[in-house]
């Protein structure tokens, strides 16, 4: 058991050192369906489940696995574990589900364009969708 402790500590340290590097890798653009307008504060509220409608429209946030580390660090200001914890509590207390996860910028853009109330984030801006904020 003592042999694995240094190995686990070294692995945890390596992960901790690598995460901040990825979290500052590039820009994050929060995009939305044409019918959605949100402030920077409201964007955070949408992605932690505190805001579910805007101007009478049900909001549909979606995560982007390719840009999630940057988004969480720059916009939500939490790590992936804390974000999962926020949503676990929301699910238990309020019965709401976390945003569905898309695999890439292209998938998020396509879903945002075709879904009324959709809000997502990408690593590169697209002329096809409304950009709410750049981080």
């Amino acid at each position: 058991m003592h042999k694995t402790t240094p190995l686990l500590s070294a692995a945890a340290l390596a992960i901790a050192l690598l995460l901040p590097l990825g979290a500052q890798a590039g820009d994050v653009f929060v995009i939305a369906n044409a019918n959605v307008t949100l402030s920077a504060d409201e964007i955070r509220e949408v992605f932690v489940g505190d805001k579910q409608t805007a101007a009478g429209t049900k909001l549909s946030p979606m995560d982007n696995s390719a840009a999630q580390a940057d988004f969480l660090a720059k916009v939500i200001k939490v790590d992936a574990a804390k974000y999962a914890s926020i949503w676990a509590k929301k699910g238990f207390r309020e019965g709401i589900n976390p945003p569905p996860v898309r695999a890439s910028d292209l998938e998020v853009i396509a879903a945002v364009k075709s879904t009324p109330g959709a809000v997502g984030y990408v690593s590169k801006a697209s002329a096809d969708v409304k950009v709410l904020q750049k981080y």
Side-chain angles (χ1 to χ4, degrees), residues 98-120:
V101 179
R102 307 289 187 219
S104 67
D105 285 1
L106 290 176
E107 285 186 24
V108 172
I109 291 166
V112 165
K113 282 174 46 177
S114 65
T115 308
V119 182

Side-chain angles (χ1 to χ4, degrees), residues 23-45:
Q24 298 176 6
D27 293 331
V28 174
F29 297 86
V30 177
I31 61 172
N33 188 273
N35 66 343
V36 176
T37 301
L38 299 168
S39 70
D41 289 338
E42 289 174 320
I43 290 167
R44 184 184 190 288
E45 292 172 0

Side-chain angles (χ1 to χ4, degrees), residues 4 9 18 22 25 34 56 63 67-68 74 76 87 89 103 117 119 121 129:
T4 59
S9 296
L18 290 175
D63 282 320
Q68 190 174 45
K74 293 177 179 183
I76 309 299
W87 277 104
K89 290 175 186 170
V119 182
Y121 52 89
V129 289

